[in-house]
Amino acid sequence: MAIRADEIPVSRGRPRGTARVSGWLDRERILGPVFVTPALLLLLLLVAYPFVMAVYFSLSNAFIGRPSEFIGIRNFVRLWDSDAFRQTFQNAFVFTGVAVFFKIVMGITLALLLNEQLWFKRMIRGAVLLPWVIPTALSTLGWWWMFNSLYSVVNWTGIAIGLMDPPGPNWLGQRYYAMAAVITVNIWRGLPFFAISILAALVAIPKELYEAAEADGANANARFWHITLPLLKPVLAVVVLFSTIFTFSDFNIVYVLTRGGPINSTHLFATLSRVLGIDTGRIGEGAAVSLYLFPLLVFVVWAQLRFVRKQAY
């Protein structure tokens, strides 16, 4: 049977609703927020919400299993009456100051060595990253064995080469030795971050600057102080900023090695917060401990980012 022309279906293109949505998505002011919204929701759920809850708990008398009430800054004031908190406050600054200082010095030294012509350079650079790649808790267990009072390979080595008298120090049982042990492990753990970041900045320095300085008679020491170090300042500022924050908030190393002992001599804010908030159930005081240095760290971040911006422009 013949089909008339007006009976043949004619394609009408996309439905009107789909075309309208497609038209909206073609607009930049609509498409941009659509792409940003998932990341914004994740930040709100995983960062903003826990932070707001921590602030709320720190201003309340929250205790596990009972209703809480708003008490203002009483938790922050009460913490100063605690010997454990004052010791923790001191420990945090000693731990962070000593660890970051040695990571800067050793990181620059290691980066300069890695920037030289070495045999198996790529293999050595990869090996430097090992402390950073291994999970912190697992590598710290290895250090716990090396500092153990009965099986300490550190003491065994020191006695064998004549640096220590038998039986050697009790690294994790005496306060100053315990602090030295946790600082040592933190330096070992954070050194690759410094070395690789500084090495990346070293590679970017133009060789012509060194050649010109050498032609003018500058020795290696002068080239380091007048060329290398000034050009490393922006990278060093960023690396020190991140390392300071991570070192202040360190938890795994201290918790696995000493659990804050002996007698609170190695507690940091994170470990003391865990003990107060989880072990004893005083969530309000635990949250207050974790937020105590928040204003100071915000100021440090602002000052260092301002410094980096000045160096860049």
Side-chain angles (χ1 to χ4, degrees), residues 9-49:
V10 179
S11 176
R12 300 179 181 273
R14 290 179 294 181
R16 182 174 301 177
T18 304
R20 183 176 300 173
V21 172
S22 178
W24 286 346
L25 292 179
D26 287 339
R27 301 175 186 173
E28 185 176 351
R29 62 188 177 88
I30 295 178
L31 188 61
V34 169
F35 284 146
V36 170
T37 300
L40 189 61
L41 288 175
L42 285 176
L43 285 175
L44 288 174
L45 289 175
L46 302 180
V47 178
Y49 178 71

Side-chain angles (χ1 to χ4, degrees), residues 241-262:
L241 170 64
F242 279 99
S243 180
T244 301
I245 295 172
F246 293 150
T247 308
F248 259 121
S249 59
D250 199 350
F251 174 81
N252 291 333
I253 293 174
V254 173
Y255 193 73
V256 173
L257 273 185
T258 64
R259 294 184 183 269

Side-chain angles (χ1 to χ4, degrees), residues 14-211:
R14 290 179 294 181
R16 182 174 301 177
T18 304
R20 183 176 300 173
V21 172
S22 178
W24 286 346
L25 292 179
D26 287 339
R27 301 175 186 173
E28 185 176 351
R29 62 188 177 88
I30 295 178
L31 188 61
V34 169
F35 284 146
V36 170
T37 300
L40 189 61
L41 288 175
L42 285 176
L43 285 175
L44 288 174
L45 289 175
L46 302 180
V47 178
Y49 178 71
F51 177 75
V52 171
M53 289 302 297
V55 173
Y56 167 73
F57 283 137
S58 70
L59 300 175
S60 71
N61 60 352
F63 194 92
I64 292 178
R66 75 181 186 194
S68 60
E69 296 178 356
F70 179 78
I71 60 172
I73 60 170
R74 204 176 301 168
N75 283 329
F76 295 92
V77 176
R78 187 184 302 157
L79 284 172
W80 275 110
D81 296 330
S82 166
D83 293 335
F85 178 77
R86 290 198 297 271
Q87 181 67 52
T88 300
F89 196 86
Q90 177 183 332
N91 293 342
F93 281 91
V94 172
F95 178 80
T96 304
V98 175
V100 172
F101 171 77
F102 277 100
K103 281 187 280 191
I104 293 173
V105 175
M106 296 173 69
I108 293 175
T109 305
L110 184 57
L112 290 172
L113 287 174
L114 293 175
N115 197 36
E116 298 295 327
Q117 294 298 326
L118 301 173
W119 291 93
F120 307 110
K121 181 189 288 187
R122 292 182 180 177
M123 186 180 298
I124 295 173
R125 287 181 178 180
V128 168
L129 287 174
L130 279 179
W132 215 34
V133 174
I134 303 172
T136 309
L138 183 62
S139 58
T140 307
L141 278 176
W143 281 99
W144 177 83
W145 173 75
M146 288 193 283
F147 285 127
N148 187 277
S149 58
L150 295 178
Y151 315 107
S152 174
V153 68
V154 176
N155 285 0
W156 183 87
T157 306
I159 294 169
I161 61 178
L163 292 177
M164 300 176 187
D165 295 326
N170 183 3
W171 289 99
L172 303 180
Q174 295 175 286
R175 55 182 307 172
Y176 295 116
Y177 287 123
M179 178 57 79
V182 294
I183 289 175
T184 301
V185 179
N186 183 272
I187 294 171
W188 172 82
R189 171 78 179 168
L191 186 58
F193 175 62
F194 275 78
I196 296 302
S197 301
I198 296 171
L199 177 62
L202 281 176
V203 173
I205 296 177
K207 301 292 183 186
E208 292 78 8
L209 295 177
Y210 293 106
E211 293 171 358

Side-chain angles (χ1 to χ4, degrees), residues 212-231:
E214 195 170 358
D216 290 340
N219 57 22
N221 195 32
R223 293 197 296 273
F224 173 77
W225 288 106
H226 296 290
I227 297 176
T228 304
L229 197 57
L231 293 177

